[in-house]
Amino acid sequence: NTLERFQPLTVSQGEDYVTKGAFAECTKLQKVTIPESVTDVGGLTFQKCTGLRDIEYRAIDATDSKLEYGTSPFRDIASAEGANVIIGKDVRIIPDYLFNQYTSSSSKRAINKLSWEEGAVCERINGNSFARTRIKELQLPNSIKEIGMYAFSENSDIDTLIIPETTSPLNIRTGAFKDWSKLKSVVVSSSVAQLESEVFGGAAELTTITSNNDRYVVIENSLVDESQEIDLDLICNLIA
């Protein structure tokens, strides 16, 4: 692709749309910056850009994305190293399927490290946004209010998950961290207001759960919702 010679690529500030498939298969592209002005990142825009090592995502109004399963702008970018992704401090919502990978790989990763800039105001990570990316290092912002359904599902390389103390109550939706095959330890902060079903489902190696939460307590290595008036023998294990 003739666009491979541009290093790095910064979408011009003022642009509000990145054309679908515009930079697909630019395998030598190593860095991409999506500016604040972008309101819509087209599906498959950077598909198979396997050379990506740094991605800065700063789009503050891309909240009504039409992305769906299989059309992630960053589909099939997995490589041996993976990309370091930084979310800009003014981004409030991560759209559905933004970094979602169509298939998972046991030898490659789409994202090496996912972090937010200091002072981040991100409130919501939408459903399936980082599924199958095989994140190696995850740093969630303390501004977060909601983690959507299956947002981080099928990530296999993190063994300890710490849900941070947040500035507002945090709701974690169904299957948000499901099928983390190497997950061994979880820390639930006092900020968690709601855990839906199978949040940590499929974590076969999970052996240690620590809760600093008044509502969700640990009984026989199961997270128990004490706000529900049910017999202990009938408690639903959120891990299984």
Side-chain angles (χ1 to χ4, degrees), residues 108 121 128 142 150 156 165:
K108 299 178 180 179
V121 297
N128 289 283
N142 64 8
Y150 305 104
S156 58
E165 296 291 343

Side-chain angles (χ1 to χ4, degrees), residues 76-80 101-111 131-135 154-157 181-182:
D76 302 329
I77 65 168
S79 65
Q101 299 300 291
Y102 189 64
T103 58
S104 57
S105 169
S106 60
S107 60
K108 299 178 180 179
R109 73 181 77 255
I111 297 177
R132 303 182 193 86
T133 51
R134 285 196 68 204
I135 296 170
E154 296 184 54
N155 278 294
S156 58
D157 283 350
S181 60
K182 295 183 180 179

Side-chain angles (χ1 to χ4, degrees), residues 12-13 40-41 58 84 87 106 150 182 201 205 229 232:
S12 299
Q13 178 65 27
D40 191 354
V41 183
R58 302 181 178 280
N84 294 320
I87 308 298
S106 60
Y150 305 104
K182 295 183 180 179
E205 295 189 17
E229 294 182 358
L232 292 183

Side-chain angles (χ1 to χ4, degrees), residues 73-90:
F74 298 96
R75 175 178 164 171
D76 302 329
I77 65 168
S79 65
E81 297 179 41
N84 294 320
V85 177
I86 297 178
I87 308 298
K89 66 182 183 63
D90 296 319

Side-chain angles (χ1 to χ4, degrees), residues 115-136:
S115 60
W116 275 255
E117 287 183 329
E118 187 175 353
V121 297
C122 185
E123 297 179 351
R124 194 169 79 229
I125 299 171
N126 281 0
N128 289 283
S129 48
F130 296 99
R132 303 182 193 86
T133 51
R134 285 196 68 204
I135 296 170
K136 188 175 182 180

Side-chain angles (χ1 to χ4, degrees), residues 56-93:
E56 293 184 11
Y57 182 83
R58 302 181 178 280
I60 58 177
D61 291 317
T63 57
D64 296 320
S65 174
K66 303 298 189 296
L67 298 173
E68 55 187 28
Y69 182 63
T71 67
S72 163
F74 298 96
R75 175 178 164 171
D76 302 329
I77 65 168
S79 65
E81 297 179 41
N84 294 320
V85 177
I86 297 178
I87 308 298
K89 66 182 183 63
D90 296 319
V91 176
R92 290 191 176 275
I93 297 174

Side-chain angles (χ1 to χ4, degrees), residues 163-171 188-194 212-213:
I163 300 175
E165 296 291 343
T166 55
T167 54
S168 300
L170 173 60
N171 296 316
V188 179
S189 74
S190 63
S191 304
V192 174
Q194 182 179 23
N212 301 314
N213 194 285

